[in-house]
Amino acid sequence: MPKANFITIGHLSKRTGVAVSALRFYEEKGLLHPLRTGGNQRRFLKSDIRRVSFILIAQKLGLGLAEIEEHLAQLPEGRNPTLTDWQKISRAMREQIDEKIRLLNRTRNQLDQCIGCGCLSLAKCQLYNKDDQLGLKGPGPRAVLD
Amino acid sequence: MPKANFITIGHLSKRTGVAVSALRFYEEKGLLHPLRTGGNQRRFLKSDIRRVSFILIAQKLGLGLAEIEEHLAQLPEGRNPTLTDWQKISRAMREQIDEKIRLLNRTRNQLDQCIGCGCLSLAKCQLYNKDDQLGLKGPGPRAVLD
DNA sequence: ATGCAACCTCAAGCTAAGTTGAGGTCAAGC
DNA sequence: GCTTGACCTCAACTTAGCTTGAGGTTGCAT
């Protein structure tokens, strides 16, 4: 059997295009769980390439690392994830995209109304009083959001 | 003529729901340009209420303050913006939303393909090699994006 | 057995979008 | 004319998602 099931962090970096420092950061955040050699160097599974790929895609979709970790937690620890495993969480992500698209569409319609009436006024405008979030993350104007 | 065309920062805060500290921050970033009294206190125009409203809406749409500033720069300095002024930049924003929706749709379709083939593999997956951005901002994995 | 690239940790720095607090000033009502 | 709440500046802190650098170790090839 091929003993080279393990790859170094540099290798993983090259295969995914993600900086070594970022990979270490992902480990720190619990998104990756490499083994260690006797000399304390990380050894990743080949399937971690796919795992990192997933992280990148999910980030493109606007998910935060914490959310991504939750998705990844669905994957089996230890054994290599199967096609079915990946399909399951991909499907869950599709739902999230759909939700985002719905929200954007709703917001666009409301903006259309605002263009019409020129309101942009706090009291009346639907854009304020309804529908939060929209993938908004980080601090932001708390008084409005909380 | 009504001399009370000016409002204090506290008043603006109450009318918009935005914290005083945030308003000062927006000024620092060039999004607001209040006048000053002899005693160095800020005095805003009433039309700044609308200006702040716009900032809030644009943030909901995922724009950063820098981008928002560019939009606001379209507004006439000095005179109060007219309905037409506001409609012009609202329409420009609509384009941006439409673009975001288009990108999300494209990504979703590609994800659907990935679900089918189970790929998620860097070499093949469309999700990587095509179509950047998607509203992605901040540092992020540079190697992939630059 | 030695050289050197690639690895390690830990601390500090960066951007965005603010908040919090200290210490001081302004202006409006009584 | 004085008190008091609203205002001022400036510096430091926050979270996310990293990067950069210093200083030290590993492991593979020769």
Side-chain angles (χ1 to χ4, degrees), chain A residues 19 21-22 25-26 37 39 41 59 64-65:
Chain A
S21 63
F25 181 74
Y26 293 158
T37 65
Q41 299 199 352
Q59 279 190 314
L65 291 186

mmCIF file of all heavy atoms in Angstrom, chain A residues 19 21-22 25-26 37 39 41 59 64-65, chain D residues 14-20 25-28:
data_model
loop_
_atom_site.group_PDB
_atom_site.id
_atom_site.type_symbol
_atom_site.label_atom_id
_atom_site.label_comp_id
_atom_site.label_asym_id
_atom_site.label_seq_id
_atom_site.Cartn_x
_atom_site.Cartn_y
_atom_site.Cartn_z
ATOM 1 N N ALA A 19 -1.703 30.145 1.688
ATOM 2 C CA ALA A 19 -0.426 30.365 2.357
ATOM 3 C C ALA A 19 -0.241 29.438 3.549
ATOM 4 O O ALA A 19 -1.207 29.081 4.228
ATOM 5 C CB ALA A 19 -0.303 31.805 2.820
ATOM 6 N N SER A 21 1.019 30.098 6.344
ATOM 7 C CA SER A 21 0.577 30.762 7.577
ATOM 8 C C SER A 21 -0.935 30.652 7.752
ATOM 9 O O SER A 21 -1.433 30.501 8.868
ATOM 10 C CB SER A 21 1.005 32.224 7.569
ATOM 11 O OG SER A 21 0.381 32.927 6.517
ATOM 12 N N ALA A 22 -1.661 30.712 6.656
ATOM 13 C CA ALA A 22 -3.111 30.596 6.731
ATOM 14 C C ALA A 22 -3.524 29.178 7.137
ATOM 15 O O ALA A 22 -4.448 28.993 7.932
ATOM 16 C CB ALA A 22 -3.748 30.965 5.403
ATOM 17 N N PHE A 25 -3.111 28.835 10.665
ATOM 18 C CA PHE A 25 -4.200 29.582 11.288
ATOM 19 C C PHE A 25 -5.495 28.757 11.287
ATOM 20 O O PHE A 25 -6.212 28.722 12.275
ATOM 21 C CB PHE A 25 -4.396 30.893 10.538
ATOM 22 C CG PHE A 25 -5.472 31.762 11.081
ATOM 23 C CD1 PHE A 25 -5.282 32.462 12.266
ATOM 24 C CD2 PHE A 25 -6.674 31.894 10.407
ATOM 25 C CE1 PHE A 25 -6.280 33.280 12.766
ATOM 26 C CE2 PHE A 25 -7.673 32.713 10.912
ATOM 27 C CZ PHE A 25 -7.481 33.403 12.088
ATOM 28 N N TYR A 26 -5.767 28.069 10.200
ATOM 29 C CA TYR A 26 -6.966 27.234 10.127
ATOM 30 C C TYR A 26 -6.903 26.112 11.155
ATOM 31 O O TYR A 26 -7.911 25.757 11.749
ATOM 32 C CB TYR A 26 -7.140 26.646 8.726
ATOM 33 C CG TYR A 26 -7.454 27.662 7.657
ATOM 34 C CD1 TYR A 26 -7.194 27.404 6.319
ATOM 35 C CD2 TYR A 26 -8.036 28.890 7.991
ATOM 36 C CE1 TYR A 26 -7.481 28.339 5.344
ATOM 37 C CE2 TYR A 26 -8.323 29.828 7.021
ATOM 38 C CZ TYR A 26 -8.042 29.551 5.693
ATOM 39 O OH TYR A 26 -8.320 30.467 4.724
ATOM 40 N N THR A 37 4.700 14.697 13.404
ATOM 41 C CA THR A 37 5.820 13.751 13.387
ATOM 42 C C THR A 37 6.491 13.785 14.756
ATOM 43 O O THR A 37 6.158 14.624 15.595
ATOM 44 C CB THR A 37 6.884 14.161 12.345
ATOM 45 O OG1 THR A 37 7.454 15.405 12.757
ATOM 46 C CG2 THR A 37 6.272 14.314 10.977
ATOM 47 N N GLY A 39 9.276 14.871 15.339
ATOM 48 C CA GLY A 39 9.931 16.174 15.430
ATOM 49 C C GLY A 39 8.966 17.343 15.409
ATOM 50 O O GLY A 39 9.359 18.470 15.124
ATOM 51 N N GLN A 41 6.537 18.201 13.382
ATOM 52 C CA GLN A 41 6.069 18.797 12.129
ATOM 53 C C GLN A 41 4.697 18.255 11.759
ATOM 54 O O GLN A 41 4.384 17.106 12.023
ATOM 55 C CB GLN A 41 7.085 18.527 11.009
ATOM 56 C CG GLN A 41 8.440 19.145 11.313
ATOM 57 C CD GLN A 41 9.306 19.301 10.080
ATOM 58 O OE1 GLN A 41 8.962 18.818 8.996
ATOM 59 N NE2 GLN A 41 10.436 19.967 10.234
ATOM 60 N N GLN A 59 -15.905 30.253 1.865
ATOM 61 C CA GLN A 59 -15.567 31.653 2.107
ATOM 62 C C GLN A 59 -16.093 32.528 0.981
ATOM 63 O O GLN A 59 -16.566 33.628 1.204
ATOM 64 C CB GLN A 59 -14.058 31.826 2.224
ATOM 65 C CG GLN A 59 -13.542 31.457 3.591
ATOM 66 C CD GLN A 59 -12.102 31.865 3.759
ATOM 67 O OE1 GLN A 59 -11.277 31.628 2.885
ATOM 68 N NE2 GLN A 59 -11.800 32.502 4.869
ATOM 69 N N GLY A 64 -18.306 32.678 7.485
ATOM 70 C CA GLY A 64 -17.162 32.913 8.351
ATOM 71 C C GLY A 64 -16.523 31.594 8.715
ATOM 72 O O GLY A 64 -17.133 30.540 8.570
ATOM 73 N N LEU A 65 -15.290 31.655 9.203
ATOM 74 C CA LEU A 65 -14.580 30.422 9.533
ATOM 75 C C LEU A 65 -15.330 29.599 10.572
ATOM 76 O O LEU A 65 -15.319 28.377 10.525
ATOM 77 C CB LEU A 65 -13.164 30.744 10.029
ATOM 78 C CG LEU A 65 -12.210 31.302 8.980
ATOM 79 C CD1 LEU A 65 -10.821 31.443 9.549
ATOM 80 C CD2 LEU A 65 -12.200 30.433 7.744
ATOM 81 P P DT D 14 -9.488 43.933 24.350
ATOM 82 O OP1 DT D 14 -10.082 43.182 25.461
ATOM 83 O OP2 DT D 14 -8.162 43.581 23.788
ATOM 84 O "O5'" DT D 14 -10.551 43.940 23.149
ATOM 85 C "C5'" DT D 14 -11.879 44.413 23.392
ATOM 86 C "C4'" DT D 14 -12.736 44.118 22.175
ATOM 87 O "O4'" DT D 14 -12.534 45.165 21.212
ATOM 88 C "C3'" DT D 14 -12.337 42.811 21.494
ATOM 89 O "O3'" DT D 14 -13.392 41.858 21.552
ATOM 90 C "C2'" DT D 14 -12.052 43.193 20.049
ATOM 91 C "C1'" DT D 14 -12.551 44.608 19.918
ATOM 92 N N1 DT D 14 -11.645 45.417 19.063
ATOM 93 C C2 DT D 14 -12.154 45.973 17.914
ATOM 94 O O2 DT D 14 -13.301 45.842 17.567
ATOM 95 N N3 DT D 14 -11.255 46.689 17.185
ATOM 96 C C4 DT D 14 -9.918 46.895 17.465
ATOM 97 O O4 DT D 14 -9.210 47.559 16.713
ATOM 98 C C5 DT D 14 -9.441 46.276 18.686
ATOM 99 C C7 DT D 14 -8.006 46.431 19.088
ATOM 100 C C6 DT D 14 -10.314 45.584 19.418
ATOM 101 P P DT D 15 -13.083 40.305 21.220
ATOM 102 O OP1 DT D 15 -14.025 39.533 22.054
ATOM 103 O OP2 DT D 15 -11.613 40.109 21.321
ATOM 104 O "O5'" DT D 15 -13.484 40.108 19.694
ATOM 105 C "C5'" DT D 15 -14.805 40.441 19.255
ATOM 106 C "C4'" DT D 15 -14.896 40.139 17.774
ATOM 107 O "O4'" DT D 15 -14.238 41.201 17.049
ATOM 108 C "C3'" DT D 15 -14.199 38.833 17.378
ATOM 109 O "O3'" DT D 15 -15.044 38.106 16.490
ATOM 110 C "C2'" DT D 15 -12.913 39.281 16.707
ATOM 111 C "C1'" DT D 15 -13.302 40.639 16.144
ATOM 112 N N1 DT D 15 -12.201 41.621 16.028
ATOM 113 C C2 DT D 15 -12.228 42.509 14.977
ATOM 114 O O2 DT D 15 -13.095 42.512 14.133
ATOM 115 N N3 DT D 15 -11.180 43.380 14.944
ATOM 116 C C4 DT D 15 -10.136 43.460 15.838
ATOM 117 O O4 DT D 15 -9.266 44.294 15.692
ATOM 118 C C5 DT D 15 -10.169 42.513 16.927
ATOM 119 C C7 DT D 15 -9.075 42.518 17.953
ATOM 120 C C6 DT D 15 -11.184 41.656 16.972
ATOM 121 P P DA D 16 -14.529 36.689 15.885
ATOM 122 O OP1 DA D 16 -15.712 35.812 15.741
ATOM 123 O OP2 DA D 16 -13.350 36.226 16.654
ATOM 124 O "O5'" DA D 16 -14.048 37.109 14.432
ATOM 125 C "C5'" DA D 16 -14.961 37.763 13.546
ATOM 126 C "C4'" DA D 16 -14.304 37.869 12.193
ATOM 127 O "O4'" DA D 16 -13.294 38.890 12.230
ATOM 128 C "C3'" DA D 16 -13.611 36.573 11.745
ATOM 129 O "O3'" DA D 16 -13.907 36.349 10.384
ATOM 130 C "C2'" DA D 16 -12.138 36.844 11.985
ATOM 131 C "C1'" DA D 16 -12.045 38.360 11.849
ATOM 132 N N9 DA D 16 -11.057 38.972 12.726
ATOM 133 C C8 DA D 16 -10.654 38.545 13.956
ATOM 134 N N7 DA D 16 -9.745 39.310 14.506
ATOM 135 C C5 DA D 16 -9.543 40.322 13.571
ATOM 136 C C6 DA D 16 -8.710 41.440 13.548
ATOM 137 N N6 DA D 16 -7.883 41.751 14.553
ATOM 138 N N1 DA D 16 -8.758 42.237 12.466
ATOM 139 C C2 DA D 16 -9.599 41.928 11.474
ATOM 140 N N3 DA D 16 -10.435 40.901 11.374
ATOM 141 C C4 DA D 16 -10.354 40.128 12.469
ATOM 142 P P DG D 17 -13.559 34.914 9.790
ATOM 143 O OP1 DG D 17 -14.514 34.698 8.691
ATOM 144 O OP2 DG D 17 -13.407 33.907 10.859
ATOM 145 O "O5'" DG D 17 -12.123 35.189 9.145
ATOM 146 C "C5'" DG D 17 -12.012 36.148 8.102
ATOM 147 C "C4'" DG D 17 -10.540 36.378 7.822
ATOM 148 O "O4'" DG D 17 -9.969 37.158 8.901
ATOM 149 C "C3'" DG D 17 -9.668 35.093 7.741
ATOM 150 O "O3'" DG D 17 -8.827 35.169 6.616
ATOM 151 C "C2'" DG D 17 -8.869 35.160 9.018
ATOM 152 C "C1'" DG D 17 -8.691 36.635 9.125
ATOM 153 N N9 DG D 17 -8.158 37.134 10.390
ATOM 154 C C8 DG D 17 -8.286 36.568 11.634
ATOM 155 N N7 DG D 17 -7.667 37.235 12.569
ATOM 156 C C5 DG D 17 -7.094 38.305 11.914
ATOM 157 C C6 DG D 17 -6.300 39.372 12.393
ATOM 158 O O6 DG D 17 -5.917 39.582 13.548
ATOM 159 N N1 DG D 17 -5.925 40.249 11.379
ATOM 160 C C2 DG D 17 -6.281 40.120 10.065
ATOM 161 N N2 DG D 17 -5.827 41.055 9.226
ATOM 162 N N3 DG D 17 -7.032 39.123 9.596
ATOM 163 C C4 DG D 17 -7.392 38.258 10.569
ATOM 164 P P DC D 18 -8.375 33.813 5.872
ATOM 165 O OP1 DC D 18 -7.795 34.222 4.610
ATOM 166 O OP2 DC D 18 -9.531 32.893 5.901
ATOM 167 O "O5'" DC D 18 -7.266 33.134 6.726
ATOM 168 C "C5'" DC D 18 -5.991 33.514 7.200
ATOM 169 C "C4'" DC D 18 -5.515 34.900 6.937
ATOM 170 O "O4'" DC D 18 -5.822 35.686 8.087
ATOM 171 C "C3'" DC D 18 -4.009 34.947 6.772
ATOM 172 O "O3'" DC D 18 -3.624 35.070 5.414
ATOM 173 C "C2'" DC D 18 -3.566 36.176 7.519
ATOM 174 C "C1'" DC D 18 -4.787 36.637 8.290
ATOM 175 N N1 DC D 18 -4.492 36.695 9.744
ATOM 176 C C2 DC D 18 -3.790 37.800 10.243
ATOM 177 O O2 DC D 18 -3.452 38.709 9.469
ATOM 178 N N3 DC D 18 -3.489 37.860 11.564
ATOM 179 C C4 DC D 18 -3.862 36.873 12.368
ATOM 180 N N4 DC D 18 -3.558 36.960 13.660
ATOM 181 C C5 DC D 18 -4.579 35.724 11.877
ATOM 182 C C6 DC D 18 -4.860 35.669 10.567
ATOM 183 P P DT D 19 -2.082 34.785 5.044
ATOM 184 O OP1 DT D 19 -1.997 34.773 3.567
ATOM 185 O OP2 DT D 19 -1.621 33.635 5.824
ATOM 186 O "O5'" DT D 19 -1.287 36.071 5.592
ATOM 187 C "C5'" DT D 19 -1.519 37.352 5.008
ATOM 188 C "C4'" DT D 19 -0.418 38.306 5.466
ATOM 189 O "O4'" DT D 19 -0.454 38.471 6.908
ATOM 190 C "C3'" DT D 19 1.000 37.873 5.128
ATOM 191 O "O3'" DT D 19 1.702 39.058 4.756
ATOM 192 C "C2'" DT D 19 1.531 37.297 6.443
ATOM 193 C "C1'" DT D 19 0.797 38.137 7.473
ATOM 194 N N1 DT D 19 0.494 37.465 8.770
ATOM 195 C C2 DT D 19 0.906 38.055 9.946
ATOM 196 O O2 DT D 19 1.550 39.093 9.989
ATOM 197 N N3 DT D 19 0.534 37.382 11.077
ATOM 198 C C4 DT D 19 -0.181 36.213 11.164
ATOM 199 O O4 DT D 19 -0.461 35.720 12.244
ATOM 200 C C5 DT D 19 -0.576 35.648 9.891
ATOM 201 C C7 DT D 19 -1.354 34.378 9.872
ATOM 202 C C6 DT D 19 -0.224 36.279 8.774
ATOM 203 P P DT D 20 3.181 38.931 4.167
ATOM 204 O OP1 DT D 20 3.286 40.002 3.167
ATOM 205 O OP2 DT D 20 3.458 37.529 3.822
ATOM 206 O "O5'" DT D 20 4.098 39.311 5.421
ATOM 207 C "C5'" DT D 20 3.794 40.462 6.193
ATOM 208 C "C4'" DT D 20 4.819 40.599 7.304
ATOM 209 O "O4'" DT D 20 4.371 39.880 8.483
ATOM 210 C "C3'" DT D 20 6.208 40.064 6.983
ATOM 211 O "O3'" DT D 20 7.140 41.063 7.396
ATOM 212 C "C2'" DT D 20 6.334 38.790 7.824
ATOM 213 C "C1'" DT D 20 5.430 39.107 9.004
ATOM 214 N N1 DT D 20 4.775 37.969 9.697
ATOM 215 C C2 DT D 20 4.720 37.962 11.070
ATOM 216 O O2 DT D 20 5.207 38.854 11.757
ATOM 217 N N3 DT D 20 4.078 36.894 11.617
ATOM 218 C C4 DT D 20 3.493 35.839 10.949
ATOM 219 O O4 DT D 20 2.945 34.937 11.568
ATOM 220 C C5 DT D 20 3.581 35.905 9.511
ATOM 221 C C7 DT D 20 2.981 34.808 8.690
ATOM 222 C C6 DT D 20 4.207 36.949 8.952
ATOM 223 P P DT D 25 16.753 25.089 19.153
ATOM 224 O OP1 DT D 25 16.573 24.409 20.456
ATOM 225 O OP2 DT D 25 18.100 25.357 18.597
ATOM 226 O "O5'" DT D 25 15.916 24.267 18.070
ATOM 227 C "C5'" DT D 25 14.565 23.902 18.379
ATOM 228 C "C4'" DT D 25 14.024 23.020 17.284
ATOM 229 O "O4'" DT D 25 14.054 23.722 16.023
ATOM 230 C "C3'" DT D 25 14.762 21.700 17.059
ATOM 231 O "O3'" DT D 25 13.765 20.709 16.839
ATOM 232 C "C2'" DT D 25 15.572 21.960 15.809
ATOM 233 C "C1'" DT D 25 14.620 22.872 15.038
ATOM 234 N N1 DT D 25 15.215 23.770 14.024
ATOM 235 C C2 DT D 25 14.822 23.634 12.707
ATOM 236 O O2 DT D 25 14.021 22.810 12.319
ATOM 237 N N3 DT D 25 15.410 24.531 11.852
ATOM 238 C C4 DT D 25 16.319 25.509 12.154
ATOM 239 O O4 DT D 25 16.755 26.247 11.289
ATOM 240 C C5 DT D 25 16.703 25.593 13.549
ATOM 241 C C7 DT D 25 17.695 26.603 13.995
ATOM 242 C C6 DT D 25 16.143 24.728 14.404
ATOM 243 P P DT D 26 14.158 19.170 16.905
ATOM 244 O OP1 DT D 26 13.468 18.594 18.057
ATOM 245 O OP2 DT D 26 15.628 19.017 16.740
ATOM 246 O "O5'" DT D 26 13.443 18.649 15.579
ATOM 247 C "C5'" DT D 26 13.042 19.613 14.627
ATOM 248 C "C4'" DT D 26 12.536 18.963 13.358
ATOM 249 O "O4'" DT D 26 13.063 19.728 12.236
ATOM 250 C "C3'" DT D 26 12.930 17.534 13.074
ATOM 251 O "O3'" DT D 26 11.947 17.006 12.216
ATOM 252 C "C2'" DT D 26 14.296 17.710 12.394
ATOM 253 C "C1'" DT D 26 14.006 18.952 11.523
ATOM 254 N N1 DT D 26 15.149 19.876 11.272
ATOM 255 C C2 DT D 26 15.289 20.411 10.011
ATOM 256 O O2 DT D 26 14.548 20.141 9.079
ATOM 257 N N3 DT D 26 16.357 21.275 9.874
ATOM 258 C C4 DT D 26 17.261 21.642 10.841
ATOM 259 O O4 DT D 26 18.160 22.422 10.591
ATOM 260 C C5 DT D 26 17.054 21.051 12.134
ATOM 261 C C7 DT D 26 17.980 21.369 13.253
ATOM 262 C C6 DT D 26 16.022 20.198 12.292
ATOM 263 P P DG D 27 11.715 15.459 11.985
ATOM 264 O OP1 DG D 27 10.260 15.226 11.963
ATOM 265 O OP2 DG D 27 12.591 14.712 12.909
ATOM 266 O "O5'" DG D 27 12.268 15.287 10.507
ATOM 267 C "C5'" DG D 27 11.661 16.024 9.450
ATOM 268 C "C4'" DG D 27 12.493 15.884 8.187
ATOM 269 O "O4'" DG D 27 13.632 16.773 8.260
ATOM 270 C "C3'" DG D 27 13.084 14.505 7.942
ATOM 271 O "O3'" DG D 27 13.202 14.339 6.552
ATOM 272 C "C2'" DG D 27 14.473 14.624 8.546
ATOM 273 C "C1'" DG D 27 14.807 16.005 8.041
ATOM 274 N N9 DG D 27 15.913 16.697 8.692
ATOM 275 C C8 DG D 27 16.393 16.521 9.977
ATOM 276 N N7 DG D 27 17.391 17.319 10.262
ATOM 277 C C5 DG D 27 17.584 18.060 9.098
ATOM 278 C C6 DG D 27 18.531 19.080 8.807
ATOM 279 O O6 DG D 27 19.397 19.542 9.542
ATOM 280 N N1 DG D 27 18.374 19.564 7.500
ATOM 281 C C2 DG D 27 17.432 19.130 6.610
ATOM 282 N N2 DG D 27 17.439 19.701 5.417
ATOM 283 N N3 DG D 27 16.545 18.171 6.869
ATOM 284 C C4 DG D 27 16.680 17.689 8.133
ATOM 285 P P DC D 28 12.431 13.130 5.818
ATOM 286 O OP1 DC D 28 11.022 13.532 5.743
ATOM 287 O OP2 DC D 28 12.855 11.871 6.467
ATOM 288 O "O5'" DC D 28 13.016 13.169 4.328
ATOM 289 C "C5'" DC D 28 12.936 14.378 3.557
ATOM 290 C "C4'" DC D 28 14.276 14.700 2.902
ATOM 291 O "O4'" DC D 28 15.209 15.286 3.832
ATOM 292 C "C3'" DC D 28 15.004 13.504 2.265
ATOM 293 O "O3'" DC D 28 15.374 13.882 0.957
ATOM 294 C "C2'" DC D 28 16.217 13.314 3.175
ATOM 295 C "C1'" DC D 28 16.488 14.748 3.571
ATOM 296 N N1 DC D 28 17.319 14.947 4.773
ATOM 297 C C2 DC D 28 18.291 15.962 4.762
ATOM 298 O O2 DC D 28 18.442 16.655 3.731
ATOM 299 N N3 DC D 28 19.059 16.173 5.861
ATOM 300 C C4 DC D 28 18.876 15.410 6.949
ATOM 301 N N4 DC D 28 19.642 15.665 8.006
ATOM 302 C C5 DC D 28 17.901 14.380 6.988
ATOM 303 C C6 DC D 28 17.145 14.185 5.890
#
